[in-house]
Amino acid sequence: MPLDVEARVIQNTRLSPDYNVITLAAPAIAAVTKPGQFVMVKPGHGTDPLLRRPFSVFEIIRSGDRIEGLSLLSKRIGATTRLLYDAVYGDVISCLGPLGRPFEPVSPPAEAWMVAGGVGLAPFATLTEALRERGTKTTLFYGARTGAELFYLDWFASRGVNVVLSTEDGSTGERGRVTAPLEQALRQTNGEIMIYACGPEKMLEAVSRVAAKYKTPAQVSVERVMGCGMGGCYSCVIPVRETGGGHHFVRSCLAGPVFTAADLVWDHD
């Protein structure tokens, strides 16, 4: 069962005028969180925002062998994210979790290729740690609009992750979408690969199609609007394929947010 705690802010690192990483004292939640799971959070005690909002758990924060809390990677775009950006030490954030279906880390000889778009980077810190424990060779394909929106590059590199960058404006790495270097790499490899992807849904659709083209398994973490995170409101439904044709809808907060890419029905199918 998920835990519901009033978590105090223990650090708020502003990465840019819009992005921040906020660290919450929620050790009980952090201790049982798996890569790709999320929490529902609500800052403050007023009615704006009225509902909690979902955030992938970014890091599990440790001090030696003791787990102290968890962090969230956020972009300031609405009421909740503005409050998270402005939060200071000691503020209280309501935090419910962990929720959802996690990623399934692979072990050698398979390699892990993570594909992140923008704040879709969030679930890949915990996944990196899980893959590192298994000794799995890992590559991160990381894309954003501009180089100023690429973060934690040294963090991933220091953990042995091969980082491949792309930006839409060409300011850092290859110019264009993150799927371009992914497809190029798939074209050149004969090894056993598992793709993990998180980011805007159009990116996930493109990753899924590239993976299918090269007959490569993929797990994708979808970013759907969620009102409760526990299956009660049906705001996060997503279509999945049925054996023999057709599809039905499932709640991504329960059946996901991580899905096998080939199971999902995309807008252009």
Side-chain angles (χ1 to χ4, degrees):
M1 291 292 293
L3 303 171
D4 194 357
V5 303
E6 295 294 290
R8 293 200 173 273
V9 175
I10 53 180
Q11 188 173 355
N12 187 4
T13 303
R14 294 180 178 90
L15 305 175
S16 77
D18 291 311
Y19 289 82
N20 71 305
V21 172
I22 188 165
T23 304
L24 305 178
I29 295 176
V32 292
T33 295
K34 297 179 180 179
Q37 289 189 299
F38 67 96
V39 292
M40 297 290 290
V41 303
K42 182 180 184 297
H45 297 285
T47 58
D48 186 21
L50 179 62
L51 301 175
R52 303 191 198 214
R53 292 291 181 262
F55 290 84
S56 294
V57 173
F58 186 41
E59 299 169 277
I60 305 300
I61 307 301
R62 293 178 171 86
S63 177
D65 294 331
R66 187 176 72 255
I67 294 177
E68 295 189 335
L70 56 86
S71 70
L72 311 174
L73 173 63
S74 176
K75 181 181 180 182
R76 181 168 56 172
I77 54 175
T80 295
T81 50
R82 285 197 299 272
L83 289 170
L84 291 179
Y85 189 88
D86 294 336
V88 298
Y89 179 87
D91 283 354
V92 174
I93 309 290
S94 298
C95 186
L96 173 69
L99 298 165
R101 178 172 175 261
F103 286 118
E104 297 178 5
V106 293
S107 300
E111 293 185 24
W113 289 8
M114 305 182 300
V115 187
V119 290
L121 181 71
F124 293 136
T126 53
L127 181 59
T128 291
E129 298 289 12
L131 292 166
R132 191 182 181 198
E133 289 179 0
R134 289 164 170 76
T136 304
K137 185 177 180 180
T138 304
T139 297
L140 171 64
F141 297 87
Y142 185 16
R145 290 181 301 176
T146 178
E149 295 182 346
L150 296 170
F151 306 108
Y152 273 67
L153 305 182
D154 291 341
W155 188 97
F156 285 95
S158 71
R159 286 157 176 79
V161 178
N162 175 38
V163 180
V164 180
L165 303 177
S166 59
T167 50
E168 293 178 23
D169 65 1
S171 56
T172 302
E174 182 175 327
R175 185 186 187 95
R177 306 286 186 178
V178 70
T179 48
L182 171 66
E183 182 164 8
Q184 182 179 3
L186 284 172
R187 193 181 300 122
Q188 297 173 350
T189 188
N190 294 314
E192 182 182 348
I193 306 295
M194 173 62 77
I195 295 173
Y196 304 89
C198 184
E201 197 153 297
K202 288 186 180 299
M203 186 206 86
L204 297 183
E205 180 179 353
V207 169
S208 297
R209 295 190 187 285
V210 170
K213 178 179 178 180
Y214 292 91
K215 297 179 173 59
T216 303
Q219 302 174 36
V220 298
S221 178
V222 299
E223 297 180 344
R224 289 269 159 150
V225 174
M226 295 182 186
C228 68
M230 299 184 69
C233 66
Y234 286 78
S235 63
C236 63
V237 294
I238 190 168
V240 298
R241 301 182 193 280
E242 295 178 344
T243 303
H247 67 270
H248 66 282
F249 287 88
V250 300
R251 292 162 286 181
S252 60
C253 63
L254 298 180
V258 175
F259 293 89
T260 299
D263 290 343
L264 295 180
V265 178
W266 303 103
D267 288 344
H268 300 98
D269 285 349

